[in-house]
Amino acid sequence: MGSPLGDFIRTTRDSIQPQSLGLPDHGRRRSPGLRRSDLAARAGISVEYLTRIEQGRDRNPSVAVVNALADALSLNSSERDHLRYLTKITGGACPTHTRPAPPSREVRPSVLETIRLLEPGIAMVTNRLGDVLAHTSGYESVTRGTGLLDTDTPNLTRYVFTDPRARTFFTDWDDVADEQAFDLWLGPSVANSEWFTTELARAAGPDFTRRLNRHVVPRRGALRLSHPSGYELQLLRETLELPSDAQQLIVLLPADDSTAQAVDRLRRGSHGRLRVIS
C-alpha cells in the first residue's frame, strides 16, 4: 500500500527527463523519467530507503531527507510546500480516523461587505472543497446558463467532474480539473477532504481519482470560458486567502478588451445581486 508522499515522489520522478538535470540518458527503459537510483544518489540516500518511502513502508522521513528530495527533484516553492504537507499527513500529524462534520459554510460579515463592494465585478467566496459560499451578480452573469449555480449548494469541484456542460464551459477543462482535484489536498483538514472525496469519487469516476492521486501542482494561468451565449472570455484570477476561515475570496478580471466588452454585455442582461449561500 502506498502513501500520498510516496505517490507524489514517484510521479514527480517519472515526469523528469534525466537530461534536464544534466544526467546521461541510459537508453530505453521500462518506465519514463528519472531512475530511482539517480534520484537516491542526488538526494544522498540509499535506493532501498527511497523505495520504502515511495511504497509507503517508511512514513516518517526526517526534515533533512525531505529537503534533500526536494532539492534532488528541483521542486519549485509550490511543489515544496505540497511535499511538506504530504509528509505531514503521511506521518500521521493530521488525524484521519474520525469523520468530522463538513466545514462551516458561514462567511464573515466583513468578508461579505468586501465582496459587496466589488459589485458589479466578478467575485466569489469559496473553500478548498469547492463550495461556492457567496458570489456577486457579476459572477452570476458569466456563469448563467452553465448549470454551475443551479443547485441550492453549488460546488465547483462537483460541477467540473460530474456536469457534462463543464467540459464546454471551461475551455481548458483538463487544467481546471487538475486545479480542483489538487485543491482538495489543501482542504480545511485531511479528514474533511476525505469525507468529500468519498462522496464525489462515486459520481466523478476515474477522471477524478486519477488526478487526485497524481499530486501534480497546477500552474494556474488565465481562466478561459466559453459562455453559452457565444462569448469567449479570458479572465485573470486574484485570490485572497482567508486562512482563519479556510476560505478564499477570488476575483476574476477581464484579461483583454474583447473580454471586458463581453462581460459588460452579459451584465446588462443580469438582474442578480450579491448571493450568500449558507
Side-chain angles (χ1 to χ4, degrees):
M1 181 179 179
S3 69
L5 174 63
D7 291 343
F8 176 70
I9 294 173
R10 185 176 59 257
T11 56
T12 303
R13 176 170 63 80
D14 287 345
S15 71
I16 295 175
Q17 294 303 313
Q19 300 91 323
S20 69
L21 300 179
L23 297 173
D25 185 357
H26 296 292
R28 295 185 62 184
R29 47 170 303 184
R30 288 177 296 177
S31 59
L34 191 65
R35 292 176 183 266
R36 188 176 283 158
S37 57
D38 287 335
L39 176 57
R42 285 175 58 85
I45 61 177
S46 70
V47 175
E48 291 75 14
Y49 186 33
L50 176 58
T51 302
R52 293 201 305 271
I53 294 174
E54 288 191 353
Q55 293 178 349
R57 292 186 286 121
D58 189 306
R59 294 172 175 260
N60 290 284
S62 67
V63 173
V65 167
V66 172
N67 289 337
L69 286 169
D71 291 339
L73 292 166
S74 297
L75 301 184
N76 61 33
S77 59
S78 296
E79 292 166 336
R80 285 171 184 267
D81 287 343
H82 191 53
L83 178 66
R84 286 191 288 267
Y85 177 74
L86 294 179
T87 302
K88 182 178 179 181
I89 65 172
T90 297
C94 300
T96 61
H97 59 277
T98 58
R99 173 173 170 170
S104 172
R105 300 181 59 87
E106 296 299 319
V107 181
R108 281 187 286 121
S110 58
V111 177
L112 290 177
E113 183 58 29
T114 300
I115 196 172
R116 185 174 288 110
L117 292 173
L118 294 172
E119 287 281 13
I122 310 166
M124 68 169 174
V125 177
T126 185
N127 59 28
R128 291 288 189 179
L129 301 188
D131 294 315
V132 180
L133 307 176
H135 62 79
T136 60
S137 62
Y139 187 78
E140 190 276 333
S141 68
V142 300
T143 59
R144 188 188 311 115
T146 68
L148 173 56
L149 299 177
D150 287 357
T151 66
D152 292 335
T153 54
N155 181 282
L156 183 57
T157 308
R158 182 179 291 109
Y159 172 75
V160 166
F161 285 103
T162 66
D163 194 317
R165 291 172 290 186
R167 294 176 184 260
T168 301
F169 179 49
F170 293 108
T171 306
D172 304 305
W173 182 88
D174 283 309
D175 293 338
V176 173
D178 286 343
E179 294 171 8
Q180 294 304 124
F182 179 81
D183 280 353
L184 292 178
W185 287 105
L186 306 177
S189 72
V190 179
N192 273 320
S193 286
E194 289 189 348
W195 174 85
F196 181 74
T197 55
T198 298
E199 303 295 328
L200 179 62
R202 289 196 294 267
D207 271 341
F208 171 68
T209 53
R210 175 172 54 85
R211 285 178 167 83
L212 188 66
N213 296 323
R214 271 193 336 194
H215 300 286
V216 175
V217 179
R219 307 186 188 283
R220 304 171 198 268
L223 182 66
R224 298 196 301 160
L225 305 177
S226 296
H227 196 272
S229 62
Y231 293 119
E232 298 294 327
L233 310 177
Q234 183 163 306
L235 301 165
L236 303 177
R237 293 177 281 187
E238 292 293 338
T239 301
L240 174 63
E241 296 287 347
L242 307 170
S244 62
D245 307 297
Q247 296 171 2
Q248 298 171 305
L249 172 57
I250 301 173
V251 182
L252 302 175
L253 305 167
D256 49 46
D257 289 341
S258 62
T259 297
Q261 294 169 9
V263 167
D264 186 56
R265 295 188 186 100
L266 290 171
R267 284 180 184 142
R268 292 174 194 168
S270 174
H271 302 288
R273 56 188 176 82
L274 177 69
R275 181 186 176 194
V276 180
I277 305 165
S278 60

